[in-house]
Amino acid sequence: MAPFLSKRDLNFQLFEVLSSADLPTRARFAGQSRADYEDILGLAYTVAERHFLPHAREADLNEPHVEGGKVRLVPGAQQAVKAFREAGFLSAHHDEELGGLQLPWVIMQAVMAHFQAANISTSGYPFLTIGNANLQREFASAEQQQKYMLPMLEGRWFGTMALSEPQAGSGLADITTSATPLGDGTYSVRGSKMWISGGEHELSENIVHLVLARVKGAPAGVKGISLFIVPRYRVNPDGSPGESNNVVLAGLNHKMGYRGTTNTLLNFGEGGDSIGELVGEAGRGLAYMFHMMNEARIGVGMGAVMLGYAGYLASLEYARERRQGRPATDRNPESQPVPIIGHADVRRLLLRQKTFVEGGLALGLYASSLVDDLTTGPEDRRSDTGLLLDLLTPIVKSWPSKYSQEALSDAIQVLGGAGYTRDYPVEQLYRDNRLNPIHEGTEGIQGNDLLGRKLTQAGGRGLEVLLGQIQADLAASEGLEGVSEIRAALTTALAQNGKAIHTILSKAPELGPDLFLANANSALEMLGHTVIGWMWLRQANAAVRALTNARASDTDFYRGKLHAARFFAVYELPKVKAHADLLAAADRTTFDMQEEWF
Amino acid sequence: MAPFLSKRDLNFQLFEVLSSADLPTRARFAGQSRADYEDILGLAYTVAERHFLPHAREADLNEPHVEGGKVRLVPGAQQAVKAFREAGFLSAHHDEELGGLQLPWVIMQAVMAHFQAANISTSGYPFLTIGNANLQREFASAEQQQKYMLPMLEGRWFGTMALSEPQAGSGLADITTSATPLGDGTYSVRGSKMWISGGEHELSENIVHLVLARVKGAPAGVKGISLFIVPRYRVNPDGSPGESNNVVLAGLNHKMGYRGTTNTLLNFGEGGDSIGELVGEAGRGLAYMFHMMNEARIGVGMGAVMLGYAGYLASLEYARERRQGRPATDRNPESQPVPIIGHADVRRLLLRQKTFVEGGLALGLYASSLVDDLTTGPEDRRSDTGLLLDLLTPIVKSWPSKYSQEALSDAIQVLGGAGYTRDYPVEQLYRDNRLNPIHEGTEGIQGNDLLGRKLTQAGGRGLEVLLGQIQADLAASEGLEGVSEIRAALTTALAQNGKAIHTILSKAPELGPDLFLANANSALEMLGHTVIGWMWLRQANAAVRALTNARASDTDFYRGKLHAARFFAVYELPKVKAHADLLAAADRTTFDMQEEWF
């Protein structure tokens, strides 16, 4: 069976492309070492392989279902989250005084990557819990943290994010769930929440829902939205879970993939009060959620990367073993068929996958390293770091979601008919990943966010910072052998980006906001491919440097990196131009299309 | 519920873009009329809607399984094939003396399109039967036709194509199934056949397998392959099915989609002789199969088109009904959210789908009309028609297979989370269509076929004919209002094609066959998009002509065609250049990649 993750590449990304080994020079990580990081990654591999991977297919074939009034999952899920908890991963990035290891976020993300690759569905339960706890850490009161967050760090309670409603998915401004003050500082929360992952299960003693709702009388739109903690079971004075809080499971959603993660419609306040506590200030609910959005969106992007990566590794193994056909030069029908990796078109499918998933991994970890820099990097650069991360986030979320899907389609194609069956993992990975361009903000939302907000935020400073970083890496690569194609293609793409962005921004006033945004998707595609091209330049730079003194056993790995960079330069970066042209032209085609013409 | 097929567009394609109403001027179709064609299409719609559509999801959720030694399908499948048979569709294109209607193939293909759109899985059983019978009509002896083909035209027996083996899928040259002469003119066929759709079921009294096998002592490679008729049940002297012919079901394949079509591993000659009859001459088996390949590949392409089209219609309906968000110019949170079709990015997703599926439909029907021209068109042009059809076939098969998948992904995206659930049809259509780039020759096979064979066949005459047709349509569009973008973009794309093809062909001798073919996929993409651009020019021409005298109720339809042509010109045709550049450069990247670098 193919490995589900490449340890070699993860090490390369963390310690050769990024400088994660230097993190212990920062106060928060003092005393840690690269060896510590490698140990914890090794532990993650073991736990993922032993406890998450084995029931990945079983969880797909046996969706969560209600039995005796309880949501039932496959038994492996319970054992897996237990192993995850016991390994300490739920609190590993938290303060030592909370039982954590103060692990850098980039290492934490690399830890989590193992579980996403092995079994994205089961990993959903602890990961939602981690995200929920991170939000509480930032915005909940000390009392709330004590009451709700600590049991989550210990893995006794799990968490969800309850934003969407049946009538309000992408349009959160229109949520109608209400919160009525009960007079004792708590609220009665009432309404329906849709698409709530991990919304009900028996994996934990309690479930802590973070719920967006409107306090009675609050204004319409986003300004009237507040954030509440609403537990499944009310909390006894001793901190133990008590009676039901009237959060009722109204239905399970039946999905194409990601089937092991129960996804629910929940009715709050059905048959009695669902008592909730306000987090922070009223009216700031969406702002709190969005503060955590960079992290959540990096998480989705990384999940997509790891699904694509698992598919790449599976198809690579298959291509090395499956014999079929001969080179065109071999006319002897009695010769043995060659492994299909011997065919250039199969290598094309593998190279495409390699550039998509390794490029995506580089970006996901780079963005995670920026999350660390925001709090532990040089103080005078934190503001720029924040703007850069804001700018990159829509790309980190959407690019791997889209291109891992293409990679997984290629993986299926390498396996042919076999890839279309449940005898191999790739068809499931393909179904699982198709969720990623939808949740945590659709591709349309990401495009609007990039062009309508992030490119102009702070006078365009985010883009300036990005271009500065890319130029620095271009400068560092000058004269290096084997990077000329990626250097040249990236330089061309940068010029196309610059011209297109300058043009569309200068036309913005005359276009008006709707026409201005009509080609936002092209902005996302254009800058997305360019940023991944940059990630390939960074990897190529690291590979060239390493090749000089590489052990023989490492040489192939680095040559593969250089050749993949060349592939991305030659096959992918030329696609930037068509998007740049559309954007610069402020093309009216989608804007002008009339509903009745369809 | 959204319609599963657009009658309006099918009529436009057949009678306004193509000249199907003129077919009755040909002797074989004498006495027929456009009204007849519309009647039979109306019948197809009714049968598809009443008997195929209702169990499409049920068949997906309840895969064929073995029960009591029999393969069980959902009950709807049996009723559906009965209705299909009773409507006379199994023999509709055959000679009147065989009980047929002598229907033109383009009309037959349009009839079949209804069933592909409504329920691709159940349509597989009669369609395999039609293909099998067509091959017998061409190559089987009169006696064999009497014995095997006639019961198939009557729908009492069904058929399969048994080509692949576990060790030989794309590489048919390496099949090992053997045929030993029994001395009475028949053969004992022995071996395993993989991926056999419709390989076992109880829908018909008998199943007629067309099996590729090697007569004992035949040479290795394709020259040793012969074609045999091997029935599931041996045939009694009175023509009725008799005792078992020892074709044993060794396993059912469990697929991601297309689940209602049982797909099997069959062992021939297990527990006794599987007696087969040789079709035509020994050693010509693959040639016979390939003679039918154009038809079979058009069938796959049309199936892909119709799946994509059904998804487009479903997402269009959803986009008109679902309200979410507001235009960027509307800052009032108390205003009503707009139907999501009001957002430019949703219109982009719908326009992409529209251009992909309507462009694919135009191509599939155009190719089908060439099948008619081959036997009933002007005799002096049949040779050119054959070369044109040969050239187009890899595109007709692979372009819709790939781009309907993109369209279906867009359909899911329009529906968002809902599209990812089984409450809507799009996720199933997406899973179903993913088979199409694999079966009947993978995308890799189609690329090699196009660049390595079809572009050079007969001294490149096929390409000359194609370019002549395109130039004629460009000339016809000169000065027409509303077609300037598609004219200009197609003209540019044609120049890029011409240069790339000329360059790669002139370099071929120095490159050698393997490097020459290394970018075959780019040839397929380049020419594929160009041909679809041509199809949009043809539709735009027809729309402009029709607009002059159009009834008010038709105006929107034609304006939609013109706007979609513009979309394809502006958003899609610019993608041709990157592929043309790769091809012209005879890029070595995939060729040079070493296995150990992955």
Side-chain angles (χ1 to χ4, degrees):
Chain A
M1 190 154 165
F4 58 95
L5 174 144
S6 165
K7 294 183 183 185
R8 180 67 188 87
D9 192 32
L10 198 57
N11 254 273
F12 172 73
Q13 304 281 3
L14 287 172
F15 303 115
E16 300 179 66
V17 182
L18 296 171
S19 309
S20 304
D22 298 340
L23 286 169
T25 61
R26 301 180 183 181
R28 182 173 172 84
F29 312 126
Q32 301 175 0
S33 70
R34 172 171 172 167
D36 293 338
Y37 300 153
E38 290 184 357
D39 281 351
I40 200 158
L41 294 170
L43 177 63
Y45 195 98
T46 304
V47 174
E49 186 175 36
R50 285 197 198 152
H51 299 285
F52 282 71
L53 192 61
H55 70 283
R57 176 61 81 175
E58 190 193 353
D60 176 64
L61 293 175
N62 300 278
E63 282 179 299
H65 60 282
V66 178
E67 203 181 290
K70 307 272 186 201
V71 173
R72 299 292 172 190
L73 310 180
V74 296
Q78 181 86 54
Q79 294 157 22
V81 299
K82 181 166 174 279
F84 189 94
R85 181 178 68 230
E86 287 173 357
F89 294 135
L90 280 164
S91 60
H93 63 295
H94 284 272
D95 295 353
E96 284 176 5
E97 64 188 36
L98 295 175
L101 299 172
Q102 302 193 174
L103 215 56
W105 189 248
V106 67
I107 302 298
M108 188 67 192
Q109 199 78 64
V111 164
M112 290 158 80
H114 292 75
F115 302 96
Q116 294 172 316
N119 186 333
I120 193 92
S121 286
T122 298
S123 75
Y125 301 99
F127 289 6
L128 285 162
T129 303
I130 288 171
N132 179 311
N134 285 352
L135 193 149
Q136 289 190 50
R137 182 186 54 184
E138 209 71 35
F139 301 112
S141 68
E143 204 177 337
Q144 287 168 336
Q145 291 183 2
Q146 180 71 28
K147 187 170 169 186
Y148 299 107
M149 186 183 82
L150 285 188
M152 292 169 70
L153 299 195
E154 291 164 11
R156 293 185 286 114
W157 298 6
F158 277 9
T160 77
M161 304 280 193
L163 288 69
S164 299
E165 300 180 0
Q167 84 296 348
S170 293
L172 286 176
D174 294 309
I175 64 161
T176 59
T177 293
S178 66
T180 310
L182 291 172
D184 61 350
T186 67
Y187 293 79
S188 171
V189 174
R190 198 175 172 82
S192 292
K193 289 290 177 181
M194 185 60 167
W195 309 120
I196 310 310
S197 287
E200 189 159 314
H201 54 72
E202 305 300 320
L203 294 173
S204 56
E205 298 164 21
N206 203 353
I207 301 175
V208 178
H209 304 292
L210 285 172
V211 182
L212 291 182
R214 296 179 187 284
V215 178
K216 284 286 179 193
V222 298
K223 287 176 188 159
I225 299 176
S226 303
L227 180 65
F228 296 85
I229 294 174
V230 186
R232 178 185 185 187
Y233 298 111
R234 293 178 188 166
V235 182
N236 292 323
D238 69 355
S240 65
E243 61 183 329
S244 165
N245 197 24
N246 304 305
V247 180
V248 174
L249 177 70
L252 294 174
N253 292 309
H254 299 290
K255 293 166 293 169
M256 175 162 67
Y258 244 99
R259 291 189 169 184
T261 306
T262 181
N263 186 275
T264 59
L265 172 61
L266 296 179
N267 287 345
F268 288 79
E270 189 171 303
D273 286 333
S274 287
I275 298 178
E277 297 185 24
L278 178 68
V279 175
E281 293 170 38
R284 303 213 51 216
L286 213 56
Y288 297 151
M289 277 289 180
F290 271 85
H291 186 88
M292 302 310 293
M293 209 45 100
N294 285 342
E295 219 172 84
R297 290 179 171 168
I298 294 171
V300 170
M302 280 292 293
V305 166
M306 300 319 295
L307 291 170
Y309 215 134
Y312 164 57
L313 295 172
S315 70
L316 178 58
E317 181 180 78
Y318 187 89
R320 285 182 162 141
E321 291 176 359
R322 171 75 172 173
R323 288 178 176 271
Q324 194 87 174
R326 293 161 186 80
T329 40
D330 180 358
R331 299 278 182 177
N332 175 11
E334 309 214 34
S335 64
Q336 203 191 7
V338 299
I340 60 173
I341 199 170
H343 303 302
D345 194 63
V346 172
R347 290 198 298 276
R348 177 182 68 82
L349 292 168
L350 293 169
L351 270 167
R352 252 170 70 90
Q353 292 180 67
K354 182 177 168 73
T355 60
F356 291 172
V357 303
E358 296 179 8
L361 181 61
L363 179 61
L365 293 175
Y366 178 81
S368 303
S369 79
L370 296 182
V371 174
D372 287 318
D373 292 349
L374 276 181
T375 49
T376 63
E379 291 200 22
D380 59 342
R381 284 168 48 193
R382 289 186 194 175
S383 156
D384 277 355
T385 299
L387 291 167
L388 176 58
L389 181 59
D390 281 350
L391 176 67
L392 288 177
T393 296
I395 294 168
V396 177
K397 193 274 175 184
S398 61
W399 198 92
S401 294
K402 174 169 180 173
Y403 287 95
S404 272
Q405 195 66 6
E406 296 222 359
L408 286 162
S409 186
D410 291 345
I412 291 175
Q413 202 65 22
V414 169
L415 273 76
Y420 194 66
T421 70
R422 299 202 289 272
D423 298 333
Y424 291 84
V426 288
E427 68 86 27
Q428 181 183 343
L429 296 167
Y430 181 73
R431 287 185 290 108
D432 286 349
N433 186 64
R434 186 60 191 79
L435 179 60
N436 286 323
I438 298 171
H439 65 170
E440 294 291 350
T442 63
E443 217 172 286
I445 298 274
Q446 304 301 327
N448 283 351
D449 183 42
L450 179 68
L451 180 58
R453 195 173 304 125
K454 301 301 180 56
L455 277 171
T456 52
Q457 180 174 285
R461 178 66 189 155
L463 183 64
E464 260 178 53
V465 176
L466 173 65
L467 295 177
Q469 296 289 328
I470 298 179
Q471 291 299 351
D473 285 313
L474 278 169
S477 72
E478 214 171 317
L480 293 186
E481 201 173 337
V483 302
S484 56
E485 287 97 346
I486 185 71
R487 269 180 64 85
L490 184 59
T491 304
T492 301
L494 276 178
Q496 291 161 344
N497 272 262
K499 189 173 153 219
I501 294 172
H502 176 79
T503 309
I504 188 74
L505 291 183
S506 64
K507 285 181 185 171
E510 59 184 284
L511 298 174
D514 290 301
L515 180 52
F516 170 66
L517 287 174
N519 294 295
N521 181 260
S522 281
L524 192 62
E525 287 282 338
M526 173 190 78
L527 195 58
H529 252 53
T530 305
V531 164
I532 297 295
W534 170 41
M535 289 296 128
W536 273 107
L537 176 71
R538 287 167 55 87
Q539 292 179 79
N541 284 354
V544 173
R545 285 193 301 267
L547 261 174
T548 338
N549 301 306
R551 289 168 301 183
S553 60
D554 269 344
T555 308
D556 285 338
F557 176 84
Y558 294 122
R559 291 207 188 285
K561 286 287 180 189
L562 288 174
H563 208 74
R566 173 176 157 180
F567 181 91
F568 199 83
V570 175
Y571 275 71
E572 292 299 322
L573 281 176
K575 295 178 181 171
V576 165
K577 180 172 190 301
H579 292 294
D581 287 348
L582 264 177
L583 191 62
D587 185 80
R588 300 181 61 97
T589 309
T590 61
F591 185 79
D592 286 344
M593 181 69 183
Q594 301 299 303
E595 179 183 339
E596 54 277 13
W597 294 352
F598 280 107
Chain B
M1 192 155 163
F4 59 95
L5 173 143
S6 164
K7 294 182 183 185
R8 180 67 188 88
D9 192 32
L10 197 56
N11 254 273
F12 172 74
Q13 304 281 1
L14 287 172
F15 303 116
E16 299 178 65
V17 182
L18 295 171
S19 309
S20 304
D22 298 338
L23 287 169
T25 61
R26 300 180 184 181
R28 183 173 172 85
F29 312 126
Q32 301 175 0
S33 70
R34 172 171 172 169
D36 294 337
Y37 300 154
E38 290 184 358
D39 282 351
I40 201 159
L41 294 170
L43 177 63
Y45 196 97
T46 304
V47 174
E49 186 175 35
R50 286 198 197 150
H51 298 286
F52 282 71
L53 191 61
H55 71 282
R57 175 61 82 175
E58 190 193 353
D60 177 63
L61 293 175
N62 299 278
E63 283 179 300
H65 60 282
V66 178
E67 201 180 294
K70 307 272 187 200
V71 173
R72 299 293 172 188
L73 309 181
V74 296
Q78 182 85 53
Q79 295 157 22
V81 299
K82 180 165 173 280
F84 189 94
R85 181 178 70 231
E86 287 173 356
F89 294 134
L90 280 165
S91 59
H93 62 295
H94 285 271
D95 296 353
E96 284 177 5
E97 65 187 37
L98 294 175
L101 299 172
Q102 302 193 172
L103 215 57
W105 189 248
V106 67
I107 302 297
M108 187 67 193
Q109 199 77 65
V111 163
M112 290 158 79
H114 291 75
F115 303 95
Q116 293 171 317
N119 186 333
I120 193 92
S121 286
T122 298
S123 76
Y125 300 99
F127 289 6
L128 286 162
T129 303
I130 288 170
N132 180 312
N134 285 352
L135 194 149
Q136 288 191 52
R137 183 186 56 183
E138 209 72 34
F139 302 111
S141 68
E143 204 179 335
Q144 286 168 337
Q145 291 183 2
Q146 180 71 29
K147 188 170 169 186
Y148 300 107
M149 187 183 81
L150 285 188
M152 293 170 68
L153 299 195
E154 293 164 8
R156 293 185 288 114
W157 298 5
F158 277 8
T160 77
M161 304 281 193
L163 288 67
S164 298
E165 299 180 0
Q167 85 295 350
S170 294
L172 286 176
D174 293 308
I175 64 160
T176 60
T177 294
S178 66
T180 310
L182 290 173
D184 61 352
T186 66
Y187 293 79
S188 171
V189 174
R190 198 177 174 82
S192 293
K193 289 290 177 181
M194 185 61 167
W195 310 120
I196 311 311
S197 287
E200 190 160 312
H201 55 72
E202 304 301 320
L203 294 173
S204 57
E205 298 165 20
N206 204 353
I207 300 175
V208 178
H209 304 291
L210 284 172
V211 182
L212 293 181
R214 297 178 186 284
V215 178
K216 285 283 178 194
V222 298
K223 288 176 187 157
I225 299 177
S226 304
L227 180 66
F228 296 86
I229 294 174
V230 186
R232 178 185 186 188
Y233 297 111
R234 294 177 188 166
V235 182
N236 292 325
D238 68 356
S240 63
E243 62 182 328
S244 165
N245 197 25
N246 303 305
V247 181
V248 174
L249 177 69
L252 294 174
N253 292 309
H254 299 290
K255 295 166 292 171
M256 175 163 66
Y258 244 98
R259 290 189 169 185
T261 305
T262 180
N263 187 276
T264 58
L265 172 61
L266 296 178
N267 287 345
F268 288 79
E270 188 171 305
D273 286 333
S274 288
I275 298 178
E277 297 185 25
L278 178 66
V279 176
E281 293 171 37
R284 304 213 50 215
L286 213 56
Y288 297 152
M289 278 288 180
F290 271 85
H291 187 86
M292 303 310 294
M293 211 43 104
N294 285 342
E295 219 172 83
R297 289 180 173 169
I298 294 171
V300 170
M302 280 292 292
V305 166
M306 300 319 296
L307 291 170
Y309 215 133
Y312 163 57
L313 295 173
S315 70
L316 178 58
E317 182 180 76
Y318 187 90
R320 286 183 161 138
E321 292 176 358
R322 172 75 171 173
R323 288 178 176 271
Q324 195 87 175
R326 292 161 187 81
T329 38
D330 180 359
R331 299 278 182 176
N332 175 10
E334 309 214 36
S335 64
Q336 203 191 5
V338 298
I340 60 172
I341 199 170
H343 303 301
D345 194 62
V346 172
R347 289 197 299 275
R348 178 183 68 82
L349 293 168
L350 292 169
L351 271 167
R352 251 169 71 91
Q353 292 180 68
K354 182 178 168 73
T355 61
F356 291 173
V357 302
E358 296 179 8
L361 181 61
L363 179 60
L365 293 175
Y366 177 82
S368 303
S369 78
L370 296 182
V371 174
D372 287 318
D373 292 349
L374 276 181
T375 50
T376 63
E379 291 200 23
D380 59 341
R381 284 168 50 192
R382 289 188 194 172
S383 157
D384 278 355
T385 299
L387 291 168
L388 176 58
L389 181 59
D390 281 351
L391 177 66
L392 288 177
T393 297
I395 294 167
V396 177
K397 193 273 175 185
S398 61
W399 197 93
S401 294
K402 174 169 179 174
Y403 287 95
S404 272
Q405 197 65 7
E406 296 222 0
L408 286 163
S409 188
D410 291 344
I412 292 176
Q413 202 66 20
V414 169
L415 273 76
Y420 194 66
T421 71
R422 299 202 288 274
D423 298 333
Y424 291 86
V426 289
E427 70 85 26
Q428 180 183 344
L429 296 167
Y430 180 74
R431 287 186 288 106
D432 286 349
N433 186 63
R434 186 60 190 81
L435 178 60
N436 286 322
I438 298 172
H439 65 169
E440 294 290 352
T442 62
E443 217 172 285
I445 299 274
Q446 305 300 327
N448 282 352
D449 183 43
L450 178 69
L451 180 59
R453 195 173 305 125
K454 303 301 180 57
L455 277 171
T456 53
Q457 180 174 286
R461 177 67 190 154
L463 183 63
E464 260 178 54
V465 176
L466 173 65
L467 295 177
Q469 296 288 329
I470 299 179
Q471 292 298 349
D473 285 313
L474 279 169
S477 72
E478 213 172 317
L480 293 186
E481 201 174 336
V483 302
S484 56
E485 286 98 345
I486 185 71
R487 269 180 63 85
L490 184 59
T491 305
T492 302
L494 276 178
Q496 291 161 345
N497 272 262
K499 190 175 152 217
I501 293 171
H502 176 79
T503 309
I504 188 74
L505 292 183
S506 64
K507 285 182 186 171
E510 60 184 284
L511 298 173
D514 289 301
L515 181 52
F516 169 66
L517 288 174
N519 294 295
N521 181 261
S522 281
L524 192 62
E525 288 281 339
M526 173 190 78
L527 196 58
H529 252 53
T530 305
V531 164
I532 298 294
W534 170 41
M535 290 295 129
W536 273 107
L537 175 70
R538 287 167 56 86
Q539 293 180 78
N541 284 353
V544 173
R545 284 193 301 268
L547 261 175
T548 338
N549 301 303
R551 288 169 302 183
S553 60
D554 268 345
T555 309
D556 285 339
F557 176 82
Y558 294 122
R559 290 207 189 285
K561 285 289 179 187
L562 287 174
H563 209 75
R566 173 177 157 180
F567 181 90
F568 199 83
V570 175
Y571 275 72
E572 291 299 322
L573 281 176
K575 296 179 181 170
V576 164
K577 182 173 189 301
H579 292 293
D581 288 348
L582 264 176
L583 190 62
D587 185 80
R588 299 182 61 97
T589 310
T590 61
F591 185 79
D592 287 344
M593 181 69 184
Q594 302 298 304
E595 179 183 339
E596 55 277 14
W597 293 352
F598 280 108

